[in-house]
Amino acid sequence: IVEATPFPMLLTDPSGNIVSANQAGFKLLEIDNMKSSDFVGQSVSAFFYNDPSRPSVTTKVIESRTAIRGIEASLKTRKNNTIHVLVDSGPILSKTGELLGAFSIAVDVTRQKLAELEVKAKNESLARMRSDAVLPGPPSPIWTNGPKRPMPTDTSCPSLMPSLRGRRNRSMPTSISAS
């Protein structure tokens, strides 16, 4: 099951040491020329973080004997690239409730995280540009929260464009004359 899973997955014993890990995990962490058996007996922290002393989601699951889902983590691969993953981990219990180990599965969300950071940076840049913008002249009543003013129309404001009043009758001929 572990090897057939397309996502990085591993199984541990009750002490938190790796029993099995799949190639998807090696690929994600950019671990070249290694097999699952090369990591058997090592801690999950050594596998994911290359630091056996760092706490991991799996060790928390083993200690609490409860599943933990959707934990976001940033990791450095063996080639020193930063990746972002969502981790789900849960205990493996016998029918009698005895802790047999834990499983952990990770989903690479690096592309989504980078896109999210890009959108955030653009929004912050737009907000700075908007707050730095200075408009010439007095503020426009359109953009203020001042009193509402009625829009002028022919009947509400007859003084608008007085040159057009009555023009229709004067300028339009009533008949065509043939000279």
Side-chain angles (χ1 to χ4, degrees):
I1 293 175
V2 174
E3 197 55 49
T5 303
F7 301 104
M9 183 176 181
L10 56 85
L11 299 175
T12 69
D13 63 19
S15 301
N17 296 318
I18 295 173
V19 173
S20 181
N22 66 4
Q23 288 299 313
F26 297 133
K27 183 178 176 183
L28 176 71
L29 296 171
E30 299 179 325
I31 301 171
D32 297 328
N33 304 317
M34 301 289 274
K35 301 178 293 198
S36 181
S37 59
D38 295 332
F39 285 92
V40 170
Q42 290 188 22
S43 72
V44 172
S45 296
F47 181 73
F48 275 113
Y49 305 115
N50 206 20
D51 177 3
S53 64
R54 185 173 170 179
S56 72
V57 174
T58 308
T59 55
K60 291 177 184 175
V61 164
I62 289 171
E63 290 168 2
S64 68
R65 299 176 72 145
T66 59
I68 297 176
R69 294 186 176 99
I71 298 297
E72 189 172 312
S74 297
L75 312 171
K76 289 282 188 185
T77 68
R78 297 305 192 276
K79 295 180 180 177
N80 209 31
N81 293 312
T82 301
I83 58 171
H84 304 277
V85 295
L86 283 178
V87 179
D88 288 349
S89 188
I92 301 171
L93 304 173
S94 71
K95 290 181 181 181
T96 62
E98 178 187 356
L99 181 67
L100 301 175
F103 73 91
S104 293
I105 190 164
V107 177
D108 184 4
V109 293
T110 303
R111 287 183 190 169
Q112 293 91 330
K113 186 68 173 178
L114 294 177
E116 179 183 300
L117 293 172
E118 184 179 335
V119 168
K120 182 178 178 183
K122 285 180 181 179
N123 285 342
E124 288 171 355
S125 175
L126 287 172
R128 276 192 308 276
M129 286 173 30
R130 194 172 85 206
S131 68
D132 292 344
V134 177
L135 299 175
S140 167
I142 295 172
W143 301 109
T144 64
N145 289 331
K148 303 279 188 236
R149 297 185 182 131
M151 292 299 290
T153 62
D154 264 354
T155 57
S156 67
C157 193
S159 64
L160 280 180
M161 298 186 274
S163 63
L164 295 179
R165 250 185 285 134
R167 184 175 176 176
R168 182 177 190 199
N169 293 335
R170 285 189 302 233
S171 62
M172 296 293 289
T174 56
S175 64
I176 300 176
S177 63
S179 333

